[in-house]
Amino acid sequence: MKFIKNLLSAVLAGVMISFGGAVYLACVAAEKAQLGAILFSLGLSVILIMGFLLFTGKTAYILENKPAYIPYLLTIWLGNLLGCALMGVLVQVAKPKLAETALSVCEAKLTQAPWQTLILGALCGILVYIAVDYFRSDEDKKSLPKYLLVFTCIPAFILCGFEHSVADMFYFAASSAYSLYTVKGIVYILLVSAGNLVGAVVFHIVRKLVTK
């Protein structure tokens, strides 16, 4: 029962990130990528407010939890993937022009070398960790700075070209070439996921050492 609950929460998180990804694609098609980067923050904001499970929001704490945290994290990753895959199909059916934009975005990503993808994933992992960890701190969740950090860190990683594994799941699923279901697409998502994890974990560890 707990597995199903976690999986469904992760699916909803994938759906919300997909909403952010869809509005970003629409803005890219309209040559308003900066606006799209800001509006993408909608997805993470809803996830944080409603408490949905997002892979990039949980990776930083893997070393300070028991081994059971690993299957928990994999469940979240799978749920995020399912949510994004569902939204990708819906976008392809209802908004084929967005699927074409997604294809061009994915083709550009696949030109990167594997080490570049890992680094870009790690840098994104750091920014998402900062936004999520601060939002979930014990301070008042309604305070303005919590939302300001979300609406700055998220546009920052998008405009810098850093890679977010769950957002990429949606872009590849929405791609008119079904890029998510190719070997290249799967390997790419796994590389970004690993980069997100490493970046968040390392930053979290160093941060704890510094603050202590």
Side-chain angles (χ1 to χ4, degrees):
M1 187 65 183
K2 191 174 182 180
F3 168 78
I4 299 298
K5 181 180 178 181
N6 291 337
L7 184 66
L8 289 176
S9 178
V11 169
L12 292 176
V15 169
M16 291 316 305
I17 291 296
S18 298
F19 275 120
V23 73
Y24 174 71
L25 290 176
C27 289
V28 167
E31 299 183 353
K32 296 179 180 179
Q34 292 82 358
L35 176 62
I38 296 171
L39 293 177
F40 184 95
S41 304
L42 164 71
L44 183 59
S45 298
V46 174
I47 288 169
L48 292 172
I49 293 169
M50 295 190 173
F52 298 149
L53 297 176
L54 181 67
F55 175 75
T56 51
K58 297 291 185 179
T59 54
Y61 316 104
I62 190 171
L63 296 182
E64 56 191 46
N65 280 279
K66 295 180 180 180
Y69 194 80
I70 295 176
Y72 169 69
L73 201 58
L74 291 174
T75 299
I76 296 173
W77 188 91
L78 176 61
N80 291 166
L81 179 66
L82 292 175
C84 291
L86 171 62
M87 287 293 289
V89 171
L90 294 178
V91 165
Q92 287 198 38
V93 172
K95 278 287 186 179
K97 287 187 177 180
L98 285 188
E100 293 175 7
T101 304
L103 177 60
S104 63
V105 168
C106 294
E107 287 176 340
K109 291 177 181 294
L110 290 174
T111 61
Q112 297 167 179
W115 61 268
Q116 289 177 306
T117 301
L118 279 170
I119 292 174
L120 294 174
L123 294 174
C124 175
I126 292 172
L127 287 176
V128 175
Y129 162 76
I130 292 171
V132 170
D133 193 75
Y134 182 63
F135 191 94
R136 290 175 174 165
S137 63
D138 293 332
E139 300 172 23
D140 180 15
K141 283 189 169 60
K142 294 182 180 179
S143 66
L144 184 60
K146 289 182 180 292
Y147 293 93
L148 287 177
L149 205 55
V150 171
F151 278 86
T152 51
C153 287
I154 304 310
F157 87 67
I158 293 174
L159 294 176
C160 288
F162 301 158
E163 299 292 355
H164 187 279
S165 55
V166 183
D168 285 340
M169 289 174 186
F170 168 70
Y171 296 142
F172 277 73
S175 165
S176 57
Y178 294 93
S179 302
L180 179 63
Y181 312 106
T182 64
V183 174
K184 282 186 177 181
I186 294 171
V187 170
Y188 183 86
I189 296 299
L190 290 174
L191 282 173
V192 177
S193 300
N196 291 162
L197 186 148
V198 171
V201 168
V202 172
F203 190 86
H204 179 59
I205 292 172
V206 175
R207 176 200 169 193
K208 289 182 68 177
L209 290 173
V210 171
T211 51
K212 283 183 179 180

